[in-house]
Amino acid sequence: THIARYYHAPSKRKNRTAWEPNLDYFSRQFVGHPDRLKNLHFAFVVLLRAVARASHHLSTYSYSSGEAGEEERVSVLVKRLLDTPVLRSCGPLFEAFDETLLFREQQAPWWSLKKQFKGVFHNVSRVIDCVSCQKCKLHAKVTMLGFGSALKMLLLPLEL
């Protein structure tokens, strides 16, 4: 569910000065579907853990686009994202997923689980390739790239 698409934008005509959630859409998508809400929560936790883990690298990275002033603007925005109280307040949420428990060598089939993860990503990618709507395909590919990057970041050793 791409929830951001269903927010109400600010509108003078409708006397809205800020973005507002579309509660009717949210209710249709999640009320009576606790599995969807759990999946959304899990995805949120995985992405936030990856951002938190990479925060040092993201804040010190040199963002250069070749456009004057753009590097500084992007650096400020990234630092603002990483320093937000929202991210700091999510600490307890991070406990919902502990990547260190995955792929431990003490578990006999850890390599099998890792292969399964890769297989699922490849299968989903193949299914996405069959989608005829280019906008939907692009959104799905970018989403999968984000989750793949987040999982890779969480599952690599800290020193890398």
Side-chain angles (χ1 to χ4, degrees), residues 54-149:
S55 62
H56 173 71
H57 298 291
L58 292 171
S59 63
T60 58
Y61 186 77
S62 174
Y63 298 96
S64 63
S65 65
E67 199 171 312
E70 193 66 19
E71 181 177 337
E72 180 63 27
R73 182 174 169 267
V74 171
S75 291
V76 166
L77 288 173
V78 168
K79 286 178 183 166
R80 197 165 89 190
L81 167 73
L82 299 174
D83 292 337
T84 181
V86 173
L87 192 59
R88 285 192 302 274
S89 70
C90 290
L93 287 176
F94 293 159
E95 296 169 9
F97 174 74
D98 185 0
E99 69 278 356
T100 60
L101 299 176
L102 288 176
F103 312 132
R104 289 187 306 184
E105 293 191 40
Q106 295 91 326
Q107 298 173 347
W110 73 273
W111 61 90
S112 165
L113 187 58
K114 203 170 196 174
K115 283 182 184 178
Q116 285 177 354
F117 259 80
K118 285 183 179 181
V120 167
F121 269 86
H122 288 294
N123 288 342
V124 170
S125 189
R126 274 190 241 125
V127 169
I128 292 169
D129 289 337
C130 296
V131 173
S132 60
C133 171
Q134 294 302 311
K135 185 176 171 183
C136 298
K137 189 186 295 191
L138 176 64
H139 178 264
K141 289 278 188 176
V142 170
T143 300
M144 287 302 295
L145 181 63
F147 282 117
S149 298

Side-chain angles (χ1 to χ4, degrees), residues 26-43:
F26 184 85
S27 295
R28 281 194 314 274
Q29 294 298 317
F30 294 105
V31 171
H33 302 284
D35 55 321
R36 292 180 184 176
L37 204 51
K38 286 179 185 176
N39 288 339
L40 185 65
H41 179 259
F42 179 74

